[in-house]
Amino acid sequence: MVILGTAGAGYLYYQHLNANIKKDDLNIGDEKDRAAESKANAAGQTPLNILLIGSDARDSEENQKLGGAKDTFNTAPRADVQMLLHLSADRSNMSVVSMPRDTLVDIPKCTDPDTGKVYGALTSTITNDSLGRGGPGCTVATWEKLTDIHIDHFMMIDFAGVVSMADAIGGVPVCVDANIYSKSSDGHGSGLKLKEGTTYVKGVQALQWLRTRYGFEDNTDIARAKAQHQYMNAMVRQLRENATLGNPGKLRRLAETATSALTVDEGLGSVAKLYDLSKELKKVPTKRITMTTMPWQYSSSSSGRVVPKPGDADKLFRLVRDDIALDGKDKKKSADTPASADPAAADDRIAVQVQNGTGSSTRAALTGRAHAVAELLVGKGFTEAVADSSVNSGVEKTVIRYPSADLEGDAQRVAKALGVPLSSVKKSTDVSGVTLVVGADWRSGTTYTAPAEDDKTPSSAQVINGSDKKQCMHVNPNYTW
């Protein structure tokens, strides 16, 4: 009777925890904008990509009290924190890429799963607006469109959730190099007030730390992202120390708090699934966790906004997409893509549009280049290859694009015929058929030589190692006390 009674109580508590978890659709964009699923490694293991979203929703009395700004009560939430967590296929390492909330991106068309409302696609729009266009599934769709990285899950937390999680683990240690008070004479700032050195923040202080912009370094969102990385690293270490079966009281409080704080996709929508994920994440030692910020540069068209830095951002996304550790400590892998399962048509049946992308910001496109390469393809048997006279802004590396999975094999066949690496064959909704863009790396000759490609994380990604306990935020001199 005791055994049965205990088992029954355990089952009821398990069901209670499951009921705590809020769920939403994973991706509410168009299927054509989805990234291809991650490929398994030689051992059959597959990487996991999880988008972490911090919502500024003011949809409850508690969230409103924490978030302030009474005039924004119950307005569309924004995704003020966005971090892509990549767990390697062999579970040896983990990479995290933050996107500054002030980044301008293209947001794809999204359909609200609850109301059926369709939000049209937007260009050059601040990234945190994506959450208010049907929910977290639109933020996921936006990341997939930008990075071409397939996202397997998302986890979203709001103001109240941040506060409760920090309390449940007993506080998170953070460091500042001077006394800080994030409050200016004109009302800017989170209200964070800390003494120089390390403080265990919990409750409202934890939320203030994550939201602080005015007071860290140059008062920008970039500095805020750095502070969030410091917090995340410290929280991971705290969770590892506290979430153990040897301390059932703390474990129970963590379970109750976490399940109440999170909104996840259906694939993570139960305690069992979250527990399985936690076991996978725990396989990675903290010294193999790498925090980065998406390389960025200021937008020329919008004051104070940023855009992905050409070259560096693409490279960082490629490293994650190809499951290459950002700490540079894994075994050398081929960055190439496996051959497609889609069979290619006969060469003389493959229609190829050839565009001239040999121009750059420093030199004009080479006249007639698209026509010359189209003739080269015709000579190799691709008799339906034609030069496209439309204007192309130019690309650094020659790339072959295709719009849908049924043309992937055709695109890869063209690449093989020209000696273009398969990693330069990309799915893109910007083209209607197989399209070869001749880049600045192939301005002459009939033989393509792929440029050497290293797998080193760009310095502009601002790398922070997960085991670094000496991280300390620099305080802006105008915000000290």
Side-chain angles (χ1 to χ4, degrees):
M1 288 178 65
V2 171
I3 292 171
L4 287 173
T6 304
Y11 175 76
L12 291 175
Y13 187 63
Y14 174 78
Q15 292 298 93
H16 162 71
L17 291 178
N18 277 338
N20 283 346
I21 302 170
K22 297 177 286 294
K23 296 179 280 292
D24 214 321
D25 287 21
L26 174 61
N27 189 315
I28 59 174
D30 281 353
E31 183 63 31
K32 66 182 180 63
D33 289 323
R34 291 225 64 181
E37 291 189 14
S38 302
K39 300 285 196 296
N41 62 15
Q45 301 164 304
T46 306
L48 271 178
N49 296 305
I50 305 167
L51 189 63
L52 310 178
I53 304 171
S55 164
D56 77 344
R58 294 168 171 85
D59 54 357
S60 68
E61 185 175 342
E62 186 177 8
N63 276 331
Q64 180 61 42
K65 182 179 178 181
L66 294 167
K70 294 180 181 179
D71 58 329
T72 61
F73 180 71
N74 235 6
T75 54
R78 292 168 298 187
D80 273 4
V81 177
Q82 299 177 35
M83 295 181 177
L84 179 63
L85 186 155
H86 172 82
L87 181 62
S88 68
D90 62 6
R91 306 303 189 250
S92 67
N93 66 89
M94 185 191 304
S95 303
V96 179
V97 180
S98 285
M99 185 189 299
R101 56 156 278 178
D102 291 340
T103 303
L104 298 177
V105 297
D106 292 343
I107 299 178
K109 183 178 82 172
C110 292
T111 304
D112 189 312
D114 297 322
T115 66
K117 180 178 179 179
V118 177
Y119 295 86
L122 298 173
T123 59
S124 194
T125 302
I126 190 168
T127 183
N128 66 350
D129 282 353
S130 60
L131 184 59
R133 300 173 63 78
C138 193
T139 305
V140 169
T142 300
W143 270 80
E144 287 206 359
K145 183 174 178 64
L146 174 68
T147 66
D148 200 28
I149 296 170
H150 179 82
I151 295 176
D152 302 286
H153 302 291
F154 76 82
M155 302 175 75
M156 183 170 71
I157 192 167
D158 59 16
F159 290 151
V162 169
V163 169
S164 60
M165 282 294 292
D167 288 348
I169 61 176
V172 176
V174 295
C175 174
V176 287
D177 65 2
N179 293 350
I180 180 174
Y181 183 42
S182 176
K183 185 66 71 174
S184 64
S185 58
D186 56 358
H188 287 303
S190 68
L192 178 71
K193 191 172 185 179
L194 297 176
K195 290 183 178 180
E196 177 184 348
T198 299
T199 303
Y200 277 73
V201 294
K202 59 171 67 175
V204 174
Q205 262 193 339
L207 178 63
Q208 288 173 334
W209 176 274
L210 292 169
R211 299 187 69 206
T212 293
R213 175 174 186 156
Y214 295 93
F216 288 149
E217 299 187 352
D218 57 356
N219 298 333
T220 66
D221 189 58
I222 308 305
R224 173 163 50 193
K226 185 176 178 180
Q228 290 167 352
H229 288 168
Q230 183 184 140
Y231 182 95
M232 289 285 288
N233 281 341
M235 186 174 72
V236 167
R237 292 193 293 268
Q238 289 298 104
L239 283 168
R240 284 173 181 264
E241 292 172 9
N242 287 294
T244 64
L245 293 175
N247 195 330
K250 281 190 175 182
L251 188 60
R252 187 174 62 253
R253 287 195 296 275
L254 278 171
E256 187 76 45
T257 302
T259 53
S260 299
L262 293 174
T263 299
V264 299
D265 63 280
E266 290 287 347
L268 290 179
S270 71
V271 173
K273 291 174 181 176
L274 286 170
Y275 179 66
D276 288 343
L277 174 62
S278 72
K279 289 194 296 183
E280 293 299 294
L281 295 172
K282 199 170 182 179
K283 292 177 182 177
V284 180
T286 53
K287 65 182 179 181
R288 294 298 312 277
I289 298 174
T290 306
M291 296 278 187
T292 66
T293 299
M294 178 198 76
W296 57 273
Q297 65 185 30
Y298 283 109
S299 167
S300 59
S301 60
S302 185
S303 177
R305 306 301 189 200
V306 302
V307 294
K309 185 176 182 179
D312 283 7
D314 292 335
K315 182 179 182 181
L316 185 66
F317 298 150
R318 176 184 67 80
L319 294 176
V320 173
R321 192 167 52 242
D322 293 338
D323 196 26
I324 296 171
L326 299 186
D327 62 5
K329 294 180 180 178
D330 61 356
K331 295 179 180 179
K332 182 68 177 177
K333 302 175 185 176
S334 169
D336 216 346
T337 305
S340 170
D342 169 54
D347 291 354
D348 61 356
R349 300 291 301 275
I350 299 176
V352 187
Q353 296 282 322
V354 183
Q355 296 179 353
N356 186 347
T358 57
S360 69
S361 58
T362 57
R363 56 182 176 178
L366 194 69
T367 303
R369 192 62 186 145
H371 180 73
V373 176
E375 286 190 339
L376 173 64
L377 278 169
V378 170
K380 290 179 175 287
F382 295 86
T383 54
E384 293 193 29
V386 296
D388 183 353
S389 59
S390 61
V391 177
N392 190 291
S393 58
V395 295
E396 290 185 17
K397 291 171 52 182
T398 296
V399 62
I400 299 173
R401 297 175 175 143
Y402 63 94
S404 54
D406 61 320
L407 290 177
E408 183 179 15
D410 291 358
Q412 289 192 353
R413 172 61 194 140
V414 174
K416 184 176 180 180
L418 293 174
V420 175
L422 295 187
S423 57
S424 293
V425 178
K426 309 287 186 184
K427 183 181 178 183
S428 171
T429 56
D430 295 330
V431 297
S432 57
V434 176
T435 303
L436 165 64
V437 184
V438 183
D441 59 346
W442 196 14
R443 287 175 63 89
S444 62
T446 57
T447 302
Y448 177 73
T449 303
E453 198 168 57
D454 71 85
D455 293 336
K456 186 177 180 181
T457 303
S459 59
S460 55
Q462 303 173 19
V463 172
I464 297 176
N465 186 271
S467 62
D468 183 2
K469 295 183 179 181
K470 296 181 180 179
Q471 299 165 37
C472 204
M473 287 302 298
H474 174 61
V475 176
N476 186 300
N478 295 323
Y479 290 82
T480 58
W481 57 280

